[in-house]
Amino acid sequence: MLAHLHQAVSATLTFGNLISLTFGTLVGIVVGVLPGLGPMVGMVVLLPFTFALQPDVALSLLLGVFCGGYFGGAVPAILMRTPGVPSSLITSFDGFPLTQKGQAQTALSAALVGSFGGGIISVIVLMFLAPLLAHVAASFGPPEYFGAGLFGVTLVVMAYRDRLAQGLLLLGLGLWISTVGIDGPTLVPRFCFGTLAMQNGLHLIPVCLGLFGIGQALVLVERKILLNESMSLTRRTLDFSKILGALRYWKSLLKSGLIGTFVGLLPGTGSILASFLSYETVKRTSKHPEDFGKGTPEGCLASEAGNNAVPAGAMIPLLTLGIPGDAVSAVLLGVFTINGIYPGPLLLVKEPVLINTLYLSMFLINVVAFIMLALWLRPFAMIVRLPNTLLAAVIMVLSLVGIYAVNTRLFDAGVAVAMGALGYILLRLEWPIVNLVMGVVLGDILEERLRESLSISGGNPMIFLQRPISLFLIIMTALIVIVPLLHDWRKRVRGAG
Amino acid sequence: MAGHINPESRSHDLFTVVLGAFAAGVLISSPWQVDTSGPYPFYKGALIFPLLALGLMVLASIPSALRMLNPPEGTFWRIDGEGVPSKTLLVFLLLVAFLAGLPVLGLEISSILFLGITLYYLGHRSPKVFIFIPLILTGVNYILFKYLLDVYFPPPLLYGFFGG
């Protein structure tokens, strides 16, 4: 155990890893500060570069972007009421009123302390909870994995139940995309339409890069998302006394960090819910709930602690079950599998050094992001002045050249362009793209486990109801479908009455 | 800020039906797209999962198909009031041309051309932007991909043509 930890410390503190996590965090903060981009775009643009790196270094780079994005998102939310990432919208409820009162430093300090605290709390929970969950998951067979996967995708679909038909459609499309190419067990080509290039399949990387990188860049071409208002920042750095002042809300910080971690753990719930639940809980238990919404640092702190706890929370099902909770973790799963590492209960036993390196890197990322924003607050805030059309063109070139570089196949770049067009339409229509990505990622897992389960049972689907854990997961899946739909139906009936 | 997306727009139904029709087409043609003559029983085979996925897509598109046939009163095609995305369409076509130009013109020339034309078209008329940014980014790409990552880019077809 100690030997593993010692090796992990050494791996974390290597020059390559430190550079990687610092650069990732820097990119994360930049894409977080820029409204309309967010950590996903940053991650997919950097994704092609990770193939030349060691798995731990590659993961540090992408985790840096993931966590850094949430740190950066609060800056424009507080200064301009324009959230850099969607979950920072909640931060703007109190952050912008504080800026209007001339207390931008107070709001930014509280948000930064919240982000840092939420991040650290969630990594600690991850370190303790992951082995426990992995222990439970060690008894999983194919039916249980299938049940867990089904539960995950159902949660994601139901999270967007106001667009249920579209959500199911995109999930189905994602699941189908995952089947294109040579089928592993039978070695027969599927849906290749007579082309050789399709036999390699439609990989997650060009699909994600197209949907999120090129798709979002095409959206940026026409939409004036960025506001170039003057910003009231008198200092280049954050005021240290204000940072210390925010620490008096330590109880709220603890509460929000824990809420964010557990929300992040559930697939499909997302960081907006984490921010909102943390904010509401802290507001309800605060001595001054009347100040919320009018400009209290406690509100900024709660919201940011909630959303910054999500990345580590989302890592729990990813590492222990191999099931990503959102699109960003799905990309991380792609990095694991491309490097021949398959997340699941045995990962913690087989790759203890990698896992410990990952935990330590996440700690460091939070520290680095905190220091970067505290020291270079104004330069980061000024990034919002970059014209979105310039960003769009640069993202498109980087995405296309990057995706070509992964396998030196123009076909992958073509897939990314086609997915970019699809991504643009879906973003424009505001359909839940995450369902499509979850389908692509979980398609392989679900298909493999379904076929294994049916092989074990001789083709009898009752196997899923005959094993206790699988039965429990199927019941839970049924409940998360039935209960909200019943609730919606009752509301409609009452409304009509 | 973007206009408000209208969830009642018929464009949602239209796109749902397009995807549903695509799924139905693939579903019908799937016995020809997947070889099922293997020794395995069906439940172990390569077709069961794609059929489930495509079936899900077709089922999900049925309500929209019905609404397309019999649209409720007062519905419209407008999505968010931002009009036809002509600018985006042109940039997308430039992107396709950039992709097609990669094997013909090579990474450097196609990158410079794409970035220069796109930035100029999108309103960046200062030579500092539409000339220097393409040159800088192409330089960065060259160093990063060709020099540091040692990625193989095929020699441009155009050079071969002129070089005989």
Side-chain angles (χ1 to χ4, degrees), chain B residues 40-54:
Chain B
Y40 294 103
F42 181 72
Y43 59 83
K44 286 185 191 172
L47 200 53
I48 182 168
F49 194 74
L51 288 185
L52 289 173
L54 293 165

Side-chain angles (χ1 to χ4, degrees), chain A residues 70 85-91 93 256 259-260 263 270-282 299-300 302-308 310:
Chain A
Y70 287 116
V85 292
S87 53
S88 297
L89 178 74
I90 319 292
T91 312
F93 291 173
S256 308
I259 291 170
V263 172
S271 51
I272 298 181
L273 184 68
S275 261
F276 183 73
L277 276 182
S278 305
Y279 181 83
E280 279 298 312
T281 309
V282 169
C300 301
S303 158
E304 284 304 308
N307 76 30
N308 222 46
V310 168

Side-chain angles (χ1 to χ4, degrees), chain B residues 74-86:
Chain B
T75 51
F76 43 83
W77 292 101
R78 190 166 55 85
I79 302 171
D80 51 12
E82 289 194 358
V84 179
S86 50

Side-chain angles (χ1 to χ4, degrees), chain A residues 64 95 172 373 375 403 425 494:
Chain A
L373 267 173
L375 293 182
I403 202 62
I425 296 170
R494 270 185 212 149

Side-chain angles (χ1 to χ4, degrees), chain A residues 47-109:
Chain A
L47 204 53
F49 302 103
T50 60
F51 296 96
L53 304 173
Q54 292 288 321
D56 51 347
V57 179
L59 286 165
S60 292
L61 179 75
L62 297 184
L63 282 170
V65 184
F66 193 2
C67 301
Y70 287 116
F71 268 87
V75 176
I78 289 169
L79 296 177
M80 296 156 36
R81 199 158 51 188
T82 306
V85 292
S87 53
S88 297
L89 178 74
I90 319 292
T91 312
S92 70
F93 291 173
D94 285 289
F96 190 65
L98 279 169
T99 299
Q100 283 177 315
K101 290 178 197 168
Q103 297 175 34
Q105 282 277 348
T106 309
L108 285 163
S109 304

Side-chain angles (χ1 to χ4, degrees), chain A residues 49 52 163 165 169 183 190-191 193 222-224 389 396-397 404-405 413 424 428-431 451 454-455, chain B residues 1 5 12 16 33 43-46 50 57 80 82-83 85 87-88 91 99 114 124 144 149 152-154:
Chain A
F49 302 103
R163 291 224 163 277
L169 188 76
D183 172 46
R190 297 191 289 187
F191 308 106
F193 302 98
E222 295 229 350
R223 288 191 177 173
K224 287 178 177 59
T389 45
M396 279 188 253
V397 169
Y404 168 80
Y424 170 75
R428 188 88 198 266
L429 291 172
E430 292 190 355
W431 284 18
R451 284 161 77 178
L454 290 176
S455 298
Chain B
M1 230 14 215
I5 298 286
H12 294 283
T16 307
Q33 299 286 350
Y43 59 83
K44 286 185 191 172
M57 285 180 76
D80 51 12
E82 289 194 358
K87 230 186 216 179
T88 308
V91 171
L99 178 64
F114 169 75
H124 297 279
L144 210 61
L149 295 176
Y152 171 75
F153 284 85

Side-chain angles (χ1 to χ4, degrees), chain A residues 31 38 98 160 177-178 235 237 253 304 307 321 344 368 380 468-469:
Chain A
V31 292
L98 279 169
Y160 299 95
I177 286 174
S178 75
R235 286 170 60 113
T237 57
L253 183 66
E304 284 304 308
N307 76 30
L321 296 170
V368 169
F380 277 123
I469 297 176

